[in-house]
């Protein structure tokens, strides 16, 4: 078993099965099905929000300390 955020080429790398998060993309050589849906939640401690204020819009996040997830060095869409 290997765990990575890299989008592996399953056929080229001889991988028999993969579990992927996000949009599966188009592939004529692969077959897949949805196993589950995933929801993301934005969390902050009450102390942080008291000190920094609550973001009201997506643009407010540039002024906040955030942990972000990236794949292959690129922020995921919508983040």
């Amino acid at each position: 078993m290997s765990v990575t955020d890299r989008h592996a080429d399953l056929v080229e790398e001889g991988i028999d099965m993969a579990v992927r998060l996000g949009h599966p993309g188009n592939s004529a050589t692969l077959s897949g099905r949805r196993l589950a849906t995933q929801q993301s939640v934005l969390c902050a401690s009450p102390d942080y929000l008291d000190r920094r204020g609550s973001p009201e819009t997506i643009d407010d996040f540039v002024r906040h300390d955030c942990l972000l997830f990236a794949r292959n060095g690129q922020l995921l869409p919508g983040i």
Side-chain angles (χ1 to χ4, degrees), residues 48 52 57 59-66:
Y48 177 86
R52 301 292 297 272
T57 69
D59 293 330
D60 291 344
F61 287 100
V62 298
R63 293 185 300 277
H64 283 270
D65 300 321
C66 299

Side-chain angles (χ1 to χ4, degrees), residues 5 10 13 24-27 36 41 49 53-54 61-62 70-71 77:
D5 65 350
L10 304 182
E13 296 180 38
N26 263 344
S27 176
V41 178
L49 295 175
S54 296
F61 287 100
V62 298
R71 181 178 297 136

Side-chain angles (χ1 to χ4, degrees), residues 21-23 40 58 68-79:
L21 301 178
H23 191 275
S40 297
I58 194 74
L68 302 174
F69 182 75
R71 181 178 297 136
N72 295 328
Q74 300 294 314
L75 290 179
L76 294 181
I79 295 179

Side-chain angles (χ1 to χ4, degrees), residues 11-60:
V11 175
E12 178 71 25
E13 296 180 38
I15 299 171
D16 294 322
M17 184 183 82
V19 175
R20 289 186 170 159
L21 301 178
H23 191 275
N26 263 344
S27 176
T29 60
L30 300 176
S31 175
R33 65 182 167 131
R34 180 184 309 265
L35 297 176
T37 57
Q38 176 185 350
Q39 294 183 1
S40 297
V41 178
L42 178 65
C43 302
S45 72
D47 180 62
Y48 177 86
L49 295 175
D50 286 344
R51 287 183 287 113
R52 301 292 297 272
S54 296
E56 301 286 330
T57 69
I58 194 74
D59 293 330
D60 291 344

